[in-house]
């Protein structure tokens, strides 16, 4: 598949890259967000987050940089599909603080991946997906913190 065809498949619905639904996952899940993405995963992340960040993303990459990130997988909504969990690791892009970087989730759908990311908290390397559910999404903890983030229908708080 050419890069042009790959990017074309990443439009809304992102058909052709749908992760297979698996058996119902067990919780809690501990997702290490420390892997290098496959080429297909990187294209999905760059498409979804690039659209979300708009000019800020494109200007940064036009200046000769590539936004750096690592990924992990976890099922945030219990549908048996592995969602992409993304952690920036590029302080030059501006979404890393003194101790952690911004994280995002891109939900898997039957057709591929959602076109809009979900903002996650700043964290270092790990998301704990808890068995408790609010609004159809599993509660989260980050790294070794004890604070639980709950889905309010629009985002995690």
């Amino acid at each position: 598949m050419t890069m042009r065809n790959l990017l074309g498949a990443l439009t809304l619905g992102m058909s052709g890259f749908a992760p297979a639904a698996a058996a119902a996952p067990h919780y809690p899940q501990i997702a290490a967000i420390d892997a290098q993405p496959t080429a297909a995963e990187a294209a999905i992340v760059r498409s979804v987050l690039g659209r979300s960040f708009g000019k800020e993303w494109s200007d940064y990459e036009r200046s000769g940089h590539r936004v750096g990130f690592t990924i992990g997988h976890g099922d945030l909504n219990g549908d048996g599909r592995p969602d992409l969990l993304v952690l920036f690791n590029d302080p030059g892009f501006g979404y890393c603080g003194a101790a952690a970087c911004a994280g995002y989730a891109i939900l898997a759908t039957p057709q591929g991946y959602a076109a809009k990311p979900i903002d996650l908290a700043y964290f270092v390397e790990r998301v704990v997906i808890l068995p408790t559910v609010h609004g159809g999404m599993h509660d989260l903890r980050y790294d070794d913190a004890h604070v639980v983030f709950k889905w309010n229908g629009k985002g995690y708080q």
Side-chain angles (χ1 to χ4, degrees):
M1 174 175 279
T2 67
M3 184 56 88
R4 183 177 197 172
N5 290 340
L6 178 63
L7 291 175
L10 296 175
T11 60
L12 184 59
M14 297 180 208
S15 61
F17 293 97
H26 296 3
Y27 294 92
Q29 293 178 10
I30 299 174
I33 319 303
D34 60 358
Q36 291 303 310
T38 65
E41 290 169 334
I44 291 164
V45 170
R46 290 190 182 289
S47 174
V48 171
L49 291 179
R51 263 194 318 272
S52 180
F53 280 91
K55 186 172 175 9
E56 184 178 11
W57 183 286
S58 61
D59 285 352
Y60 186 74
E61 294 212 333
R62 250 188 248 120
S63 72
H65 299 83
R66 293 285 277 178
V67 176
F69 56 86
T70 54
I71 65 157
H73 303 90
D75 187 0
L76 298 185
N77 57 5
D79 67 357
R81 291 180 183 85
D83 303 314
L84 291 177
L85 304 173
V86 182
L87 179 63
F88 284 151
N89 62 2
D90 187 343
F93 186 54
Y95 288 85
C96 289
C101 292
Y104 298 88
I106 302 172
L107 296 183
T109 69
Q111 296 78 31
Y113 287 91
K116 293 186 178 183
I118 295 172
D119 292 352
L120 302 178
Y122 277 55
F123 62 98
V124 177
E125 66 183 3
R126 186 174 52 210
V127 175
V128 180
I129 305 167
L130 301 170
T132 51
V133 175
H134 287 88
M137 300 284 281
H138 283 270
D139 297 346
L140 305 177
R141 269 195 349 248
Y142 302 98
D143 300 315
D144 294 326
H146 297 287
V147 175
V148 174
F149 290 79
K150 298 174 184 175
W151 182 255
N152 68 9
K154 295 182 180 180
Y156 278 100
Q157 293 185 330

